[in-house]
Amino acid sequence: MADHLFLKDMTPRVKVLPVVYFSILDHYLRRNDQQTRVIGTLLGTISGCTIEVTNCFPVPHSETDDQVAVDVEYQSNMRNLFAAVNPNEVVVGWYATGPEVTEHSMVIHDIVNDETRSPVHLCVDTSLSNNHMGIKAMISSALGSPTGTAGKLLVPVECEVLIHEPERVALSMLDKSLDQPDARVPLISDLDHVSEATVNLQEMVAKALKYVTEVTNGEREGDERIGRYLRDTVAAIPKVDPVKFEGMFNDTVQDLLMVGYLSNLAQSQVTVQEKLNDILIPESR
């Protein structure tokens, strides 16, 4: 059984890496024609009240209107294999596809409960209702009187996508490919990356200023969480003299242009050398 660090009487918060959602969707697309949904085991780490889901693997199962069967032996073997590769990843819950929780979900939840205390159930709606893929994270909560428990109920908890910077870049490229007929996106130069990042930053700053202006003018109700986030963001910005910042920025741009120039120059020399070799080698023969 995994060692957990849940704080008493605190509701956990679930963070899921994008690769987990891709793995779940791939499992769903490869399902048998007779299956209406697929299930699997979630792996990750637990620290305090935060559960980070970093990996997952499918688990064979079958279910009818009356009963459900899960291949527990397969699940145990896969768990041991993943533990051998990364001992830091433990079982944190299970996933299932579908628009809602079924009557069999609690049975499967109890099976996973033997592997970990307070497992998380991640429900991914693959029906794409209203062109939207619904995602919900749930944990079991006891029902009944204070002196006795009559049953359990799956209740939703906070769930968010945990995106690291390399994944953010990859997802941005995938998003751009949706508008391309051949689903191909050419790689852009470093200078174009800087230009695009600057434009995105200006748009986000404009949205933040619009929100703050509307709140201060009483046009909309303020959100305390957004206010604290904006405060922390502004506080994290280093205080640099505008003249010095402009000088550092220009130096960085010049260095970037120099690197790009040298790279293109080296590429041109290699191309010329290859063409000369193609001309001289036949003549030597």
Side-chain angles (χ1 to χ4, degrees):
M1 182 174 292
D3 182 20
H4 283 56
L5 301 175
F6 278 142
L7 298 179
K8 186 177 180 181
D9 300 330
M10 293 292 288
T11 302
R13 183 174 60 177
V14 182
K15 297 182 179 181
V16 186
L17 289 178
V19 66
V20 175
Y21 292 120
F22 283 114
S23 299
I24 295 174
L25 294 177
D26 181 71
H27 181 199
Y28 178 76
L29 293 175
R30 297 173 184 270
R31 74 190 187 283
N32 297 329
D33 295 336
Q34 296 79 13
Q35 286 184 300
T36 57
R37 70 169 184 167
V38 296
I39 67 171
T41 300
L42 298 176
L43 303 174
T45 59
I46 299 177
S47 177
C49 295
T50 302
I51 304 174
E52 290 190 5
V53 183
T54 56
N55 209 342
C56 67
F57 62 84
V59 175
H61 89 294
S62 61
E63 57 182 317
T64 61
D65 295 337
D66 302 327
Q67 61 182 358
V68 59
V70 180
D71 194 339
V72 180
E73 182 179 358
Y74 176 89
Q75 192 271 348
S76 178
N77 292 334
M78 289 295 294
R79 179 201 62 193
N80 294 333
L81 289 174
F82 275 89
V85 175
N86 188 354
N88 295 325
E89 287 184 342
V90 299
V91 176
V92 296
W94 67 289
Y95 69 81
T97 58
E100 58 186 11
V101 176
T102 67
E103 58 183 6
H104 296 150
S105 296
M106 205 64 229
V107 178
I108 302 174
H109 199 80
D110 290 337
I111 295 176
V112 181
N113 196 44
D114 296 335
E115 298 286 341
T116 178
R117 181 171 58 86
S118 299
V120 174
H121 173 39
L122 186 65
C123 185
V124 181
D125 182 10
T126 52
S127 63
L128 298 180
S129 302
N130 298 323
N131 293 326
H132 176 73
M133 186 176 68
I135 298 173
K136 295 183 292 186
M138 292 166 279
I139 61 173
S140 61
S141 178
L143 294 176
S145 62
T147 58
T149 301
K152 293 182 179 181
L153 177 69
L154 290 174
V155 295
V157 295
E158 183 180 353
C159 181
E160 61 183 80
V161 181
L162 178 62
I163 304 180
H164 300 295
E165 191 59 31
E167 293 172 326
R168 189 183 301 276
V169 175
L171 291 175
S172 176
M173 296 298 293
L174 290 175
D175 182 64
K176 293 179 181 178
S177 66
L178 297 177
D179 300 329
Q180 302 298 325
D182 55 356
R184 293 183 179 181
V185 179
L187 295 178
I188 61 179
S189 63
D190 293 339
L191 186 59
D192 291 333
H193 273 296
V194 174
S195 176
E196 183 177 341
T198 303
V199 172
N200 293 335
L201 179 60
Q202 290 176 337
E203 293 177 352
M204 289 187 289
V205 171
K207 290 180 180 179
L209 289 175
K210 180 181 178 182
Y211 172 81
V212 173
T213 302
E214 292 177 351
V215 172
T216 53
N217 293 337
E219 299 176 4
R220 64 184 299 178
E221 185 178 355
D223 190 328
E224 294 181 357
R225 295 180 301 174
I226 298 178
R228 287 193 293 267
Y229 184 81
L230 291 175
R231 180 200 61 190
D232 296 339
T233 302
V234 174
I237 299 175
K239 296 181 180 179
V240 182
D241 183 80
V243 177
K244 293 182 179 179
F245 177 80
E246 184 178 359
M248 291 187 296
F249 180 80
N250 292 333
D251 292 340
T252 303
V253 172
Q254 291 177 1
D255 293 340
L256 186 61
L257 292 175
M258 180 59 68
V259 170
Y261 171 75
L262 294 177
S263 176
N264 293 332
L265 181 61
Q267 185 177 1
S268 300
Q269 290 179 343
V270 171
T271 303
V272 172
Q273 184 65 37
E274 290 177 351
K275 291 183 178 180
L276 290 176
N277 290 337
D278 293 338
I279 297 174
L280 296 177
I281 291 178
E283 293 181 354
S284 62
R285 293 178 179 176

